Amino acid sequence: MSNHSYSHEALAWIKQRLDDADTIISEAEKTAEKLQASTREEADAALARLKASREALLKLERDLRARADALRDDVEDIQEAAEKEWVEAETAFQTFLKAAQDQAGSINDLLVARAKAQRQSWEDAQKVMREQVTHTVDKARGEFDAAIKRVSDEAEKFQARIGDAKDAGDESWKAVKSGLADARAAHDRTIQKIKDAFSKLV
């Protein structure tokens, strides 16, 4: 995978975590206001740690963006140099064709063979990439859907237990947390697989 793909992937990962942190902070602040004094202090300390983590993530995102911009500039420089070199290669090829102009049949064969090879190469590459992307996306989507269903099932069980008794107990809470962690992991794997598949297109 290219450095560009890695930086893009890392930025997407940090952005997801920042979005999560923003949602958690917003909801936690609403909940903290309703807490009793005995639990409010611990909740406020945890909320402060969460906000500090969010700020650290935000700084890391800014740093990575700056580095990605510098990397993009480097890639553009290399691409420009490669394009200039390709102009040299094409010029040399055209010079060859001119030198061999008295061999019209051979030149025609060479040009036709080159065009066919290029077209076949592009078609082969597109076919392989299309198949890989389709397979990877379908598989990742299936895994993610299964993880979301597990979380949904656990949430329904948890909600039913809360309906029966206001205090659902540690086991129910652990099951929901575990389900959410599984869903997050499945989501991350899904996104990673899709990114890996699409990075092959670049």
Side-chain angles (χ1 to χ4, degrees):
M1 187 179 292
S2 67
N3 286 339
H4 174 73
S5 297
Y6 278 128
S7 60
H8 182 72
E9 174 187 318
L11 282 169
W13 186 91
I14 292 172
K15 175 72 168 80
Q16 288 174 349
R17 293 336 184 257
L18 284 169
D19 290 345
D20 283 354
D22 287 340
T23 301
I24 293 167
I25 288 169
S26 175
E27 293 303 312
E29 285 175 337
K30 292 175 192 174
T31 303
E33 293 172 5
K34 301 173 187 173
L35 295 177
Q36 296 177 2
S38 60
T39 55
R40 178 72 187 258
E41 187 176 321
E42 184 179 355
D44 285 345
L47 191 53
R49 285 197 315 273
L50 179 59
K51 288 179 179 179
S53 291
R54 187 207 177 277
E55 289 305 311
L57 282 170
L58 192 56
K59 182 184 182 313
L60 289 169
E61 181 191 35
R62 289 182 188 134
D63 290 348
L64 184 56
R65 282 192 189 282
R67 290 181 187 182
D69 289 343
L71 176 62
R72 186 176 57 245
D73 292 342
D74 289 345
V75 169
E76 287 171 0
D77 290 345
I78 291 169
Q79 183 175 355
E80 185 178 334
E83 287 171 358
K84 286 179 181 175
E85 194 58 45
W86 185 246
V87 168
E88 290 298 319
E90 281 294 330
T91 302
F93 179 62
Q94 295 304 318
T95 302
F96 173 83
L97 293 177
K98 185 176 180 184
Q101 64 185 344
D102 62 336
Q103 300 293 321
S106 297
I107 289 175
N108 183 60
D109 292 346
L110 183 123
L111 293 174
V112 168
R114 181 185 185 195
K116 284 182 179 177
Q118 286 176 340
R119 181 176 179 157
Q120 189 61 50
S121 176
W122 293 333
E123 288 175 356
D124 291 347
Q126 286 179 344
K127 181 181 177 185
V128 168
M129 287 187 287
R130 197 176 304 116
E131 288 170 357
Q132 288 176 342
V133 168
T134 301
H135 173 73
T136 302
V137 170
D138 288 346
K139 184 177 177 185
R141 186 180 297 127
E143 290 174 4
F144 183 63
D145 288 346
I148 290 299
K149 184 177 183 331
R150 283 194 305 272
V151 170
S152 179
D153 292 347
E154 289 298 332
E156 285 179 21
K157 290 177 193 173
F158 184 63
Q159 189 64 38
R161 289 180 186 153
I162 289 175
D164 293 341
K166 290 295 179 189
D167 185 5
D170 286 343
E171 289 305 313
S172 297
W173 179 238
K174 285 178 186 174
V176 170
K177 282 180 17 181
S178 174
L180 289 172
D182 289 348
R184 167 53 77 183
H187 175 265
D188 290 346
R189 285 192 308 273
T190 300
I191 296 300
Q192 183 60 50
K193 287 178 183 179
I194 291 171
K195 287 177 184 174
D196 288 347
F198 282 108
S199 73
K200 293 176 183 175
L201 296 173
V202 178

